[in-house]
Amino acid sequence: MRAVTESLPEQTTPDVPLPRIAREWGRIGITGFGGPPAHIALLRKLCVAERKWIPADEFEDAIATCNLLPGPASTQLAIWCGYRLRRRLGAVVAGVCFIVPGLVLILALSALFLAAHPPTWVLGAAAGAGAAVPAVAVHAAWGLAPASWKRMQDPAQPGRHAPASSRRRWIGYAVIGGVAAATIGPFLVLVLLACGLIEIAVRIKPAALSPAGLPLPLAGVGTGGLGALAWTALKVGALSYGGGFVIIPLMQHDAVTTYHWMSGAQFLDAVALGQVTPGPVVLTTGAVGYAAAGIGGGLLAVAVAFSPSFLFVLLGAHHFDRLRRNQPVQAFLTGAGPTVIGAIAGSAVPLTLALSHGWQYPLLAAAAAGLFLGRRGVVSILLLAALVGVVAALAGAPV
């Protein structure tokens, strides 16, 4: 397979000025509502269809490779596209301009929704949108499951494995992830790593293993304050295999139970804000950081959470082809994927327990019906739920 970034001839690299990269990626950061699918579509339209800066097959290879990396794949793709156009400086400009619009908006909304005494209508909007978040979590897990199930049984994956055995392992990993997210939140990272390593042991002969090809666990930060905030954000950026929504089980216990930066209801608000604002879902870390230490905490959390994405591209873009062919990495992600999916679904349990008003439960059921039966988009469901919450609050319902 052709390397997607290695040995790019000078004449094939478009001479795109940095101000233009800043303008175009900033525009995507402002208009990119709808999560990774929307971001990828906007990047493809700009770089492949309209400007023809990047060949279509090279762009598709980059998508596949970014999906192998931990952290927000669409953000990494945005950074890689900047790298492809103007190397490392282009990558930094593209990534920053893609992230900053959503960051500014989520910090502003955090100041409003997490204020000590917000207006009644704000409390109602928060309670309404928060009521829909557990359904959004289950919906996200449901959407990720088919590709992970197919990957587990893909004959192109390393190692010999019977379909029945693969199915049992997938179900087992998903159940373990769900139970861990619902009961032992602080240890979810260890559970995720363990399931990935188990799959490596099943599929790869010991002689084929190389420490350089294995994901390495990170040491935890046991103290409070900014160190704990940085560690929580780092878990999101460096160990969030399977998409941005895995931030929920990775962050919830730290933010609510361990360090008490926010209440369970406020965490629901933070997740909802991350969904209804443009840009990557991982910007939810900004709301958590704001609750922990104000604007400075929000900026710190976002900087730490996105740092791995920049480093993966800046330092490793020329190794992307090798990464896609690395069998231990492929096997690890095959095992970690269903664990993440189970964890996202399992996070709905503590999220539901965080609801504190009776009127929120029918709203949760209605949100689930809209997502699964009505096939409505996540953003529209959250906005409708927020509107119902405003009406309920102004009518005198407890918020």
Side-chain angles (χ1 to χ4, degrees), residues 54-146:
I54 301 174
D57 56 349
E58 189 174 335
F59 186 85
E60 297 303 322
D61 282 355
I63 294 174
T65 306
C66 289
N67 281 318
L68 292 177
L69 301 172
S74 62
T75 302
Q76 290 158 354
L77 181 64
I79 297 169
W80 177 84
C81 288
Y83 180 94
R84 176 61 176 80
L85 301 183
R86 288 295 298 268
R87 297 300 184 182
R88 290 179 176 174
L89 187 56
V92 172
V93 171
V96 169
C97 292
F98 176 70
I99 293 167
V100 164
L103 170 61
V104 172
L105 185 56
I106 204 166
L107 289 178
L109 291 173
S110 296
L112 177 64
F113 279 80
L114 300 178
H117 302 288
T120 299
W121 70 268
V122 171
L123 291 174
V133 168
V136 172
V138 175
H139 183 262
W142 182 264
L144 292 170

Side-chain angles (χ1 to χ4, degrees), residues 374-399:
R375 300 186 182 278
R376 300 295 298 270
V378 168
V379 173
S380 64
I381 288 292
L382 287 170
L383 292 176
L384 285 171
L387 179 60
V388 171
V390 171
V391 173
L394 295 179
V399 291

Side-chain angles (χ1 to χ4, degrees), residues 177-245:
V179 172
T183 59
I184 54 170
F187 302 101
L188 177 60
V189 168
L190 297 179
V191 171
L192 188 153
L193 290 169
C195 290
L197 293 174
I198 289 171
E199 193 64 18
I200 290 176
V202 170
R203 292 175 180 265
I204 308 296
K205 294 180 179 180
L209 294 177
S210 168
L214 302 179
L216 298 178
L218 303 176
V221 177
T223 59
L226 294 179
L229 177 61
W231 162 240
T232 300
L234 183 61
K235 285 192 295 184
V236 170
L239 294 174
S240 56
Y241 303 95
F245 221 89

